């Protein structure tokens, strides 16, 4: 697998979460696109998100694809940006309201591989639940 830029690594984290259940919903892809437009970590990004997503999904289909992706993300990101990648992945998983088991497994893999502190994980997940709560709940 090729080395990833910082932006590509963050996008791979989101796309892999979305594709973990072998389907990328419109809501998830919309969340990825809006994230690229809104967050400071994507300032200066000029790539083709569709092409990056396609390459990521292709890599996932290869033997040991998920491990290759996690390795590439790990190399491309600093520890603080690994937390950002985890937070972005949680937001994509939450875009469909119900998080699928495959997405949870990938999130756990990220948490373990990137050695994200348990309290940080809990805070990220709690903030995602609060942000994605539906009106009337």
């Amino acid at each position: 697998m090729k080395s990833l830029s910082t932006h590509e690594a963050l996008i791979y984290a989101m796309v892999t979460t979305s594709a973990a259940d072998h389907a990328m919903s419109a809501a998830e892809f919309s969340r990825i696109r809006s994230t690229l437009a809104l967050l400071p970590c994507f300032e200066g990004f000029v790539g083709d998100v569709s092409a990056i997503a396609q390459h990521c999904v292709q890599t996932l289909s290869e033997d040991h694809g998920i491990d290759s992706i996690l390795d590439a993300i790990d190399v491309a990101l600093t520890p603080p940006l690994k937390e950002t990648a985890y937070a972005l992945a949680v937001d994509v998983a939450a875009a469909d309201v119900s998080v699928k088991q495959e997405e949870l497994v990938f999130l756990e893999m990220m948490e373990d591989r990137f050695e994200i502190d348990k309290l940080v994980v809990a805070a990220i997940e709690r903030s995602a639940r609060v942000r994605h709560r539906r009106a009337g709940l």
Side-chain angles (χ1 to χ4, degrees), residues 79-102:
L81 283 175
K82 290 173 188 173
E83 291 177 355
T84 301
Y86 185 81
L88 295 174
V90 168
D91 273 353
V92 168
D96 284 335
V97 180
S98 65
V99 179
K100 311 259 184 333
Q101 182 63 35
E102 297 90 347

Side-chain angles (χ1 to χ4, degrees), residues 9-118:
L10 293 170
I11 293 167
Y12 267 57
M14 293 186 289
V15 170
T16 304
T17 302
S18 176
D21 62 352
H22 306 290
M24 184 181 291
S25 73
E28 290 170 331
F29 197 67
S30 176
R31 175 61 45 112
I32 292 168
R33 285 193 175 280
S34 65
T35 298
L36 294 173
L38 294 174
L39 292 184
C41 62
F42 288 106
E43 286 179 5
F45 174 71
V46 292
D48 179 357
V49 68
S50 296
I52 294 168
Q54 186 175 23
H55 187 265
C56 179
V57 170
Q58 179 183 2
T59 302
L60 274 174
S61 68
E62 298 170 0
D63 287 341
H64 308 289
I66 200 160
D67 289 321
S68 296
I69 288 171
L70 284 169
D71 289 343
I73 293 171
D74 194 22
V75 168
L77 300 178
T78 63
L81 283 175
K82 290 173 188 173
E83 291 177 355
T84 301
Y86 185 81
L88 295 174
V90 168
D91 273 353
V92 168
D96 284 335
V97 180
S98 65
V99 179
K100 311 259 184 333
Q101 182 63 35
E102 297 90 347
E103 293 169 331
L104 291 172
V105 168
F106 179 68
L107 291 171
E108 288 176 14
M109 292 173 76
M110 286 182 71
E111 176 187 344
D112 291 342
R113 179 74 59 96
F114 304 152
E115 298 178 347
I116 302 172
D117 183 89
K118 299 290 184 195

